[in-house]
């Protein structure tokens, strides 16, 4: 009898959890959530600018942040510390490196469902390590969202 009661409680709790998380109330598209890629520099942005719920791998000490810019060839990250979605298709970002020694302001603009532009506006320039040298990224970077599921 105890087992049946425990099974029923577990079943009811999983049903209610599933019902609450499966549908968004407003059904609005989530433009600033997910991963976008730049194949030219082999970098990506992992972001959730709406909820600030991203944990940086191997750098959990930073807690939940809006996102980060990562490099597929290096473990260093540029962290998005503050994000404000200013208008439909644009977001203002505050970005720092993972050491905290350099920071910048940038804008992430969504052109369509799969194309984004990152504009570095003021402050430091994003740099990556390539062949034991620092390479500065251009002020304007184009990112694509991988829509394959």
């Amino acid at each position: 009898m105890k087992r049946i009661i425990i099974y029923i409680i577990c079943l009811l709790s999983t049903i209610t959890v599933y019902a609450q998380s499966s549908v968004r109330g407003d059904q609005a598209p989530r433009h600033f959530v997910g991963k976008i890629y730049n194949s030219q520099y082999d970098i990506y942005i992992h972001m959730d600018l709406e909820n600030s719920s991203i944990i940086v791998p191997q750098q959990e000490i930073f807690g939940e942040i809006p996102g980060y810019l990562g490099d597929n060839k290096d473990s260093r990250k540029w962290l998005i510390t503050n994000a404000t979605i200013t208008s439909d298709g644009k977001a203002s970002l505050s970005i720092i490196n993972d050491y905290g020694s350099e920071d910048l302001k940038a804008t992430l603009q969504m052109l369509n469902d799969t194309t984004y532009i990152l504009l570095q506006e003021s402050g430091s320039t994003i740099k990556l390590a390539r062949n034991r040298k620092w390479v500065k990224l251009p002020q304007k970077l184009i990112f694509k969202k991988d829509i394959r599921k």
Side-chain angles (χ1 to χ4, degrees):
M1 186 65 180
K2 287 182 182 178
R3 286 185 180 173
I4 294 173
I5 293 173
I6 291 173
Y7 288 135
I8 291 173
I9 291 172
C10 290
L11 178 66
L12 290 175
S13 66
T14 58
I15 290 172
T16 58
V17 169
Y18 178 72
Q20 291 175 0
S21 64
S22 64
V23 178
R24 289 185 66 201
D26 58 354
Q27 293 298 321
R30 300 183 69 193
H31 300 298
F32 294 105
V33 176
K35 271 191 175 180
I36 55 178
Y37 303 90
N38 179 294
S39 58
Q40 180 181 1
Y41 292 97
D42 203 16
I43 59 175
Y44 60 92
I45 296 176
H46 188 191
M47 63 183 171
D48 184 356
L49 304 185
E50 298 172 7
N51 299 318
S52 298
S53 63
I54 302 294
I55 302 286
V56 182
Q58 286 92 39
Q59 298 179 8
E60 292 83 6
I61 192 167
F62 294 120
E64 292 184 344
I65 60 173
Y68 62 90
L69 186 142
D71 184 355
N72 289 323
K73 296 180 180 177
D74 191 20
S75 64
R76 295 180 189 95
K77 308 282 190 256
W78 286 78
L79 310 175
I80 301 171
T81 57
N82 190 15
T84 306
I85 300 174
T86 57
S87 64
D88 190 38
K90 282 191 175 182
S92 295
L93 309 175
S94 295
I95 303 174
I96 64 168
N97 65 355
D98 52 1
Y99 292 108
S101 61
E102 298 183 59
D103 64 339
L104 66 125
K105 300 286 183 194
T107 300
L108 185 64
Q109 180 178 0
M110 186 183 79
L111 297 180
N112 56 41
D113 288 342
T114 60
T115 307
Y116 294 77
I117 294 178
L118 179 70
L119 296 169
Q120 300 179 51
E121 295 174 348
S122 63
S124 302
T125 302
I126 297 176
K127 293 179 272 240
L128 304 174
R130 294 288 189 265
N131 299 322
R132 294 180 284 164
K133 293 183 181 180
W134 289 111
V135 175
K136 289 185 179 183
L137 295 181
Q139 297 298 106
K140 181 179 178 181
L141 290 166
I142 297 175
F143 287 85
K144 299 279 186 179
K145 185 178 259 189
D146 188 9
I147 57 173
R148 293 176 286 168
K149 299 286 178 181

